[in-house]
Short mmCIF file of all heavy atoms in Angstrom, two decimals:
data_model
loop_
_atom_site.label_atom_id
_atom_site.label_comp_id
_atom_site.label_asym_id
_atom_site.label_seq_id
_atom_site.Cartn_x
_atom_site.Cartn_y
_atom_site.Cartn_z
N VAL A 194 0.02 56.09 -6.93
CA VAL A 194 1.48 56.38 -6.83
C VAL A 194 1.96 56.24 -5.39
O VAL A 194 2.99 55.70 -5.14
CB VAL A 194 1.78 57.77 -7.39
CG1 VAL A 194 3.23 58.19 -7.10
CG2 VAL A 194 1.50 57.84 -8.88
N ALA A 195 1.16 56.79 -4.46
CA ALA A 195 1.59 56.76 -3.03
C ALA A 195 1.60 55.26 -2.54
O ALA A 195 2.52 54.89 -1.83
CB ALA A 195 0.58 57.53 -2.20
N THR A 196 0.65 54.48 -2.95
CA THR A 196 0.60 53.05 -2.50
C THR A 196 1.79 52.31 -3.16
O THR A 196 2.43 51.53 -2.48
CB THR A 196 -0.74 52.40 -3.00
OG1 THR A 196 -1.82 53.12 -2.44
CG2 THR A 196 -0.79 50.94 -2.52
N SER A 197 2.04 52.60 -4.43
CA SER A 197 3.19 51.95 -5.04
C SER A 197 4.50 52.32 -4.37
O SER A 197 5.39 51.50 -4.19
CB SER A 197 3.23 52.34 -6.55
OG SER A 197 2.08 51.99 -7.21
N GLY A 198 4.59 53.63 -4.02
CA GLY A 198 5.80 54.04 -3.27
C GLY A 198 5.99 53.33 -1.99
O GLY A 198 7.12 53.02 -1.58
N LEU A 199 4.91 53.09 -1.26
CA LEU A 199 4.98 52.36 0.02
C LEU A 199 5.45 50.94 -0.20
O LEU A 199 6.30 50.43 0.55
CB LEU A 199 3.58 52.34 0.67
CG LEU A 199 3.47 51.61 2.00
CD1 LEU A 199 4.38 52.24 3.06
CD2 LEU A 199 2.02 51.58 2.48
N ILE A 200 4.97 50.24 -1.24
CA ILE A 200 5.40 48.90 -1.52
C ILE A 200 6.89 48.90 -1.91
O ILE A 200 7.65 48.04 -1.49
CB ILE A 200 4.54 48.28 -2.69
CG1 ILE A 200 3.08 48.19 -2.20
CG2 ILE A 200 5.08 46.93 -3.03
CD1 ILE A 200 2.16 47.74 -3.30
N ILE A 201 7.28 49.88 -2.73
CA ILE A 201 8.72 49.96 -3.15
C ILE A 201 9.60 50.17 -1.93
O ILE A 201 10.71 49.56 -1.83
CB ILE A 201 8.88 51.09 -4.18
CG1 ILE A 201 8.20 50.72 -5.50
CG2 ILE A 201 10.34 51.38 -4.44
CD1 ILE A 201 8.10 51.81 -6.54
N TYR A 202 9.19 50.98 -0.99
CA TYR A 202 10.00 51.28 0.17
C TYR A 202 10.02 50.03 1.07
O TYR A 202 11.06 49.61 1.56
CB TYR A 202 9.36 52.46 0.93
CG TYR A 202 10.01 52.68 2.29
CD1 TYR A 202 11.28 53.32 2.37
CD2 TYR A 202 9.39 52.27 3.51
CE1 TYR A 202 11.88 53.52 3.61
CE2 TYR A 202 10.03 52.47 4.70
CZ TYR A 202 11.26 53.14 4.76
OH TYR A 202 11.87 53.31 5.97
N ALA A 203 8.88 49.36 1.23
CA ALA A 203 8.84 48.15 2.05
C ALA A 203 9.64 47.03 1.39
O ALA A 203 10.09 46.13 2.10
CB ALA A 203 7.37 47.69 2.26
N GLY A 204 9.75 47.09 0.08
CA GLY A 204 10.52 46.04 -0.64
C GLY A 204 11.99 46.13 -0.54
O GLY A 204 12.76 45.29 -0.99
N GLY A 205 12.44 47.22 0.14
CA GLY A 205 13.88 47.40 0.40
C GLY A 205 14.63 48.23 -0.62
O GLY A 205 15.86 48.05 -0.78
N ALA A 206 13.93 49.11 -1.32
CA ALA A 206 14.59 49.90 -2.33
C ALA A 206 15.55 50.88 -1.63
O ALA A 206 15.42 51.28 -0.48
CB ALA A 206 13.56 50.69 -3.09
N SER A 207 16.58 51.29 -2.38
CA SER A 207 17.59 52.22 -1.89
C SER A 207 16.94 53.60 -1.67
O SER A 207 16.20 54.08 -2.51
CB SER A 207 18.77 52.33 -2.88
OG SER A 207 19.64 53.42 -2.51
N LEU A 208 17.23 54.19 -0.52
CA LEU A 208 16.68 55.57 -0.23
C LEU A 208 17.18 56.56 -1.24
O LEU A 208 16.47 57.55 -1.52
CB LEU A 208 17.09 55.96 1.20
CG LEU A 208 16.45 55.19 2.34
CD1 LEU A 208 16.98 55.65 3.68
CD2 LEU A 208 14.93 55.37 2.32
N LYS A 209 18.38 56.38 -1.77
CA LYS A 209 18.88 57.28 -2.76
C LYS A 209 18.02 57.24 -4.01
O LYS A 209 17.74 58.25 -4.59
CB LYS A 209 20.35 56.92 -3.09
CG LYS A 209 21.01 57.78 -4.15
CD LYS A 209 22.49 57.42 -4.29
CE LYS A 209 22.65 56.00 -4.78
NZ LYS A 209 24.10 55.69 -5.01
N HIS A 210 17.66 56.07 -4.45
CA HIS A 210 16.77 55.90 -5.63
C HIS A 210 15.39 56.45 -5.38
O HIS A 210 14.82 57.09 -6.23
CB HIS A 210 16.71 54.37 -6.01
CG HIS A 210 18.03 53.79 -6.33
ND1 HIS A 210 18.26 52.46 -6.38
CD2 HIS A 210 19.21 54.36 -6.77
CE1 HIS A 210 19.50 52.17 -6.75
NE2 HIS A 210 20.10 53.35 -7.01
N ILE A 211 14.89 56.23 -4.18
CA ILE A 211 13.53 56.73 -3.84
C ILE A 211 13.53 58.26 -3.84
O ILE A 211 12.61 58.86 -4.38
CB ILE A 211 13.10 56.17 -2.48
CG1 ILE A 211 12.90 54.67 -2.54
CG2 ILE A 211 11.80 56.84 -2.05
CD1 ILE A 211 12.56 54.02 -1.21
N THR A 212 14.59 58.86 -3.29
CA THR A 212 14.63 60.31 -3.23
C THR A 212 14.74 60.87 -4.63
O THR A 212 14.07 61.88 -4.92
CB THR A 212 15.88 60.74 -2.39
OG1 THR A 212 15.82 60.18 -1.09
CG2 THR A 212 15.90 62.26 -2.28
N GLY A 213 15.54 60.31 -5.48
CA GLY A 213 15.65 60.76 -6.85
C GLY A 213 14.31 60.63 -7.59
O GLY A 213 13.93 61.54 -8.35
N SER A 214 13.60 59.57 -7.37
CA SER A 214 12.33 59.38 -8.02
C SER A 214 11.28 60.43 -7.56
O SER A 214 10.47 60.90 -8.33
CB SER A 214 11.77 57.96 -7.75
OG SER A 214 12.63 56.99 -8.26
N LEU A 215 11.34 60.70 -6.21
CA LEU A 215 10.39 61.72 -5.70
C LEU A 215 10.61 63.09 -6.35
O LEU A 215 9.71 63.78 -6.65
CB LEU A 215 10.53 61.80 -4.20
CG LEU A 215 9.96 60.62 -3.41
CD1 LEU A 215 10.25 60.76 -1.94
CD2 LEU A 215 8.42 60.44 -3.60
N LEU A 216 11.92 63.41 -6.52
CA LEU A 216 12.26 64.73 -7.12
C LEU A 216 11.77 64.74 -8.57
O LEU A 216 11.18 65.77 -9.03
CB LEU A 216 13.76 64.97 -7.06
CG LEU A 216 14.34 65.18 -5.67
CD1 LEU A 216 15.87 65.29 -5.73
CD2 LEU A 216 13.74 66.46 -5.02
N LEU A 217 11.99 63.67 -9.31
CA LEU A 217 11.51 63.62 -10.69
C LEU A 217 9.97 63.69 -10.74
O LEU A 217 9.37 64.31 -11.65
CB LEU A 217 11.98 62.33 -11.36
CG LEU A 217 13.49 62.27 -11.67
CD1 LEU A 217 13.83 60.90 -12.23
CD2 LEU A 217 13.88 63.38 -12.64
N LEU A 218 9.32 63.01 -9.79
CA LEU A 218 7.86 63.04 -9.69
C LEU A 218 7.31 64.42 -9.47
O LEU A 218 6.34 64.87 -10.13
CB LEU A 218 7.36 62.08 -8.60
CG LEU A 218 5.83 62.02 -8.38
CD1 LEU A 218 5.18 61.46 -9.61
CD2 LEU A 218 5.56 61.17 -7.15
N VAL A 219 7.94 65.19 -8.53
CA VAL A 219 7.54 66.58 -8.31
C VAL A 219 7.73 67.44 -9.51
O VAL A 219 6.86 68.23 -9.88
CB VAL A 219 8.32 67.16 -7.07
CG1 VAL A 219 8.06 68.63 -6.93
CG2 VAL A 219 7.97 66.40 -5.79
N VAL A 220 8.83 67.29 -10.18
CA VAL A 220 9.10 68.07 -11.42
C VAL A 220 8.08 67.74 -12.52
O VAL A 220 7.49 68.61 -13.11
CB VAL A 220 10.54 67.87 -11.91
CG1 VAL A 220 10.74 68.50 -13.27
CG2 VAL A 220 11.53 68.39 -10.91
N ALA A 221 7.84 66.42 -12.72
CA ALA A 221 6.91 65.99 -13.72
C ALA A 221 5.47 66.46 -13.40
O ALA A 221 4.76 66.95 -14.28
CB ALA A 221 6.94 64.47 -13.86
N ALA A 222 5.09 66.35 -12.11
CA ALA A 222 3.75 66.77 -11.75
C ALA A 222 3.59 68.30 -11.93
O ALA A 222 2.51 68.79 -12.36
CB ALA A 222 3.46 66.39 -10.30
N SER A 223 4.66 69.05 -11.59
CA SER A 223 4.59 70.51 -11.79
C SER A 223 4.43 70.88 -13.25
O SER A 223 3.65 71.76 -13.62
CB SER A 223 5.86 71.14 -11.23
OG SER A 223 6.01 70.85 -9.85
N ILE A 224 5.17 70.16 -14.11
CA ILE A 224 5.06 70.44 -15.55
C ILE A 224 3.64 70.11 -16.08
O ILE A 224 3.01 70.90 -16.80
CB ILE A 224 6.10 69.60 -16.34
CG1 ILE A 224 7.51 70.10 -15.98
CG2 ILE A 224 5.90 69.73 -17.85
CD1 ILE A 224 8.60 69.26 -16.59
N VAL A 225 3.14 68.95 -15.65
CA VAL A 225 1.79 68.54 -16.14
C VAL A 225 0.75 69.51 -15.59
O VAL A 225 -0.15 69.95 -16.35
CB VAL A 225 1.46 67.10 -15.67
CG1 VAL A 225 0.00 66.76 -15.94
CG2 VAL A 225 2.38 66.10 -16.33
N PHE A 226 0.85 69.90 -14.35
CA PHE A 226 -0.08 70.81 -13.72
C PHE A 226 -0.02 72.17 -14.41
O PHE A 226 -1.05 72.82 -14.73
CB PHE A 226 0.24 70.99 -12.23
CG PHE A 226 -0.72 71.84 -11.48
CD1 PHE A 226 -1.90 71.32 -11.05
CD2 PHE A 226 -0.48 73.18 -11.25
CE1 PHE A 226 -2.83 72.06 -10.35
CE2 PHE A 226 -1.38 73.99 -10.51
CZ PHE A 226 -2.54 73.39 -10.09
N GLY A 227 1.19 72.63 -14.70
CA GLY A 227 1.36 73.94 -15.36
C GLY A 227 0.85 73.95 -16.79
O GLY A 227 0.16 74.88 -17.22
#
Side-chain angles (χ1 to χ4, degrees):
V194 171
T196 304
S197 301
L199 178 61
I200 297 174
I201 291 172
Y202 175 76
S207 171
L208 291 177
K209 180 174 63 177
H210 298 161
I211 294 176
T212 304
S214 299
L215 288 175
L216 293 175
L217 290 175
L218 178 64
V219 172
V220 173
S223 301
I224 293 174
V225 172
F226 186 81

